[in-house]
Amino acid sequence: MPLATTRRAGLVDQVIAQLRASVSAGEWPVGTRIPTEPALVAALGVGRNTVREAVRALAHSGILEVRQGDGTYVRATSEVSGAVRRLCGSELREVLEVRRCLEVEGARLAATARTAEDLAEIRALLARRDALDARDEFVRADAEFHFAVVRASHNAVLIELYRGLTEVVTASVATTVETHAFDRIPHDGLVEAIARGDVDRAGHEAGGFLEELIEELPDRR
């Protein structure tokens, strides 16, 4: 490979990393428009073609979305989340099925791997969730609770997979909250099963409410 080409590829990778970091850090939240190409060129000190290639790569991975004549918007915070968004679209059933796979195993692992600190955090998040009246705050708190359960599994791969689904998990919570008239699905049984180290019960509790939500959806297959 020619030296100039190697340097260019390395520069594009650096810009991709910088743009990805801005998204991950929340500098550019999901749904917002990122700075224009000229602004990025000036801020990053690179050429237009470099910026263009980096944006194209992140759009291909699903993190960014280029809207002709309007600008480039943040679509997801990670490649995993972007891929799931492309695969699932607005299909709530598919999102809930993926959540069931990860959350059931996360709960089962948490029942044996959780620490006292994990359990305290899980209980605190559930208490906070149940005390909230504002819909948007409740949705975020519920998503945080489920992620805390997965983190208590101490399985690094599972945790990173679930982290990548942050946006679609939160969106699925928001959708189910809307359709169930802000009905708080109880999770006390899940927390207590994890506390007791009851693997089977933890998995049942984690999957049960998702099964019910899936069964309520129209079957489009």
Side-chain angles (χ1 to χ4, degrees):
M1 180 181 293
L3 182 59
T5 303
T6 303
R7 287 175 177 170
R8 179 176 178 76
L11 190 57
V12 171
D13 287 341
Q14 291 177 31
V15 173
I16 289 173
Q18 288 177 279
L19 297 181
R20 187 189 289 113
S22 293
V23 172
S24 299
E27 181 181 341
W28 303 330
V30 173
T32 62
R33 183 169 55 186
I34 70 172
T36 62
E37 186 178 281
L40 290 174
V41 167
L44 298 172
V46 296
R48 283 179 176 268
N49 286 339
T50 300
V51 169
R52 199 165 295 155
E53 286 184 34
V55 168
R56 186 182 300 119
L58 290 174
H60 180 71
S61 69
I63 291 178
L64 299 179
E65 178 183 3
V66 179
R67 302 177 187 174
Q68 296 299 327
D70 187 15
T72 300
Y73 288 77
V74 179
R75 191 169 186 226
T77 58
S78 72
E79 282 82 355
V80 173
S81 183
V84 172
R85 281 174 177 266
R86 288 198 305 274
L87 289 172
C88 295
S90 60
E91 289 296 328
L92 179 59
R93 174 184 295 278
E94 296 181 6
V95 175
L96 294 177
E97 288 171 345
V98 171
R99 282 187 60 188
R100 179 179 58 189
C101 293
L102 299 182
E103 291 181 24
V104 168
E105 189 58 26
R108 288 175 60 85
L109 291 172
T112 58
R114 61 86 179 166
T115 64
E117 291 76 15
D118 293 330
L119 189 56
E121 180 187 20
I122 290 169
R123 282 179 166 154
L125 286 172
L126 183 59
R128 177 175 174 271
R129 183 203 80 146
D130 290 345
L132 291 171
D133 292 322
R135 185 184 301 270
D136 289 347
E137 292 180 4
F138 174 84
V139 167
R140 287 193 293 272
D142 190 71
E144 288 172 10
F145 164 78
H146 290 293
F147 190 21
V149 170
V150 173
R151 286 198 302 272
S153 72
H154 293 275
N155 182 302
V157 176
L158 179 61
I159 292 168
E160 287 308 307
L161 283 172
Y162 198 85
R163 190 193 308 278
L165 301 178
T166 298
E167 289 83 23
V168 290
V169 169
T170 304
S172 69
V173 172
T175 302
T176 54
V177 164
E178 184 70 29
T179 56
H180 286 73
F182 206 15
D183 180 24
R184 287 175 170 80
I185 297 173
H187 292 315
D188 302 88
L190 171 58
V191 174
E192 292 313 308
I194 292 173
R196 294 194 306 269
D198 189 334
V199 174
D200 291 337
R201 187 65 187 175
H204 176 77
E205 290 286 346
F209 79 96
L210 289 169
E211 289 280 2
E212 292 178 6
L213 292 174
I214 292 170
E215 288 176 1
E216 292 175 3
L217 296 174
D219 191 351
R220 297 183 179 179
R221 296 179 181 177

